[in-house]
Amino acid sequence: GEELSITWRDVSERIAMEQALQQRAATDSLTALLNREEVLTQVERLLAGDQRRGGELAVLFCDLDRFKEVNDRYGHQAGDAVLQAMADRIRSCLRTSDLAARIGGDELMVVLPGVQGQDDAVSIAEKLRQLAHDPVPTPAGDVHLSLSVGVALACPGESLDELIARADAAMYAAKKQGRNQVVAIGCASPEAGA
């Protein structure tokens, strides 16, 4: 029985290592949120499933306003602390089925499967925007930030790229309109594309 227990331990250790590797590949090392590739894969899967179910799926693009200034003024350590704090705050107000990812330097993405329509998605985005207001304590002092959020609900038959592009455009509109706000871009009416 001795040999058996050794190989079993080796196997379970190897499985644990592989899982850790997979986890690392799927998450952003700084915030432990999903990374861009992983979240897009999962949204694609949700879209495929949603078209059968007819459920509502919302994507929120969240961008930390003037994040570069934080890095310039307080240093990168403070910038990292801000991103980690924001990641924790986002996690604190999401349901287990929701996804949160870091898709770029200071860009975070939240995916809400099964929302009750655009108003529901916008109110969650508002909650995130308000959470961003609490100062983040860093080694270099408290950092005050705001968040611009773009909201897009998946439209019937829409591709992943189209959905992401709309959420992105909504976030840029929020920045253009003076930052620190939530902007939603709905589905284009069918005749607009004709």
Side-chain angles (χ1 to χ4, degrees), residues 28-186:
D28 165 61
S29 55
L30 177 68
T31 59
L33 297 175
L34 297 175
N35 62 27
R36 186 188 182 100
E37 222 162 312
E38 180 63 20
V39 78
L40 293 180
T41 304
Q42 293 201 29
V43 173
E44 196 134 37
R45 205 174 301 144
L46 287 167
L47 280 176
D50 260 10
Q51 274 158 358
R52 286 196 303 276
R53 269 206 321 276
E56 294 275 23
L57 176 74
V59 171
L60 277 44
F61 260 41
C62 312
D63 193 85
L64 292 167
D65 296 325
R66 302 192 174 88
F67 182 67
K68 195 184 163 319
E69 289 173 25
V70 173
N71 276 333
D72 292 348
R73 188 169 154 201
Y74 298 96
H76 283 279
Q77 242 179 326
D80 287 353
V82 165
L83 280 169
Q84 285 167 330
M86 274 313 301
D88 289 341
R89 289 173 193 182
I90 287 174
R91 265 192 289 265
S92 74
C93 73
L94 295 185
R95 303 161 305 171
T96 46
S97 58
D98 300 331
L99 305 173
R102 180 181 178 205
I103 53 171
D106 59 343
E107 280 196 346
L108 306 170
M109 178 171 150
V110 174
V111 183
L112 309 169
V115 288
Q116 304 298 305
Q118 188 163 291
D119 291 351
D120 190 20
V122 166
S123 71
I124 294 169
E126 250 330 307
K127 202 154 111 187
L128 294 178
R129 190 185 68 78
Q130 280 157 12
L131 279 178
H133 274 262
D134 293 338
V136 178
T138 77
D142 282 4
V143 175
H144 295 264
L145 268 180
S146 61
L147 203 60
S148 296
V149 188
V151 179
L153 242 63
C155 308
E158 188 175 39
S159 74
L160 173 66
D161 289 348
E162 290 167 323
L163 173 60
I164 298 298
R166 220 155 26 88
D168 200 32
M171 186 265 289
Y172 275 105
K175 285 221 176 272
K176 258 217 201 78
Q177 289 168 28
R179 300 183 176 89
N180 190 22
Q181 49 191 307
V182 174
V183 171
I185 296 185

Side-chain angles (χ1 to χ4, degrees), residues 7-22:
T7 44
W8 176 238
R9 193 164 55 240
D10 286 349
V11 169
S12 56
E13 258 176 39
R14 197 168 71 231
I15 290 172
M17 269 170 56
E18 277 169 12
Q19 281 173 336
L21 274 174
Q22 273 177 330

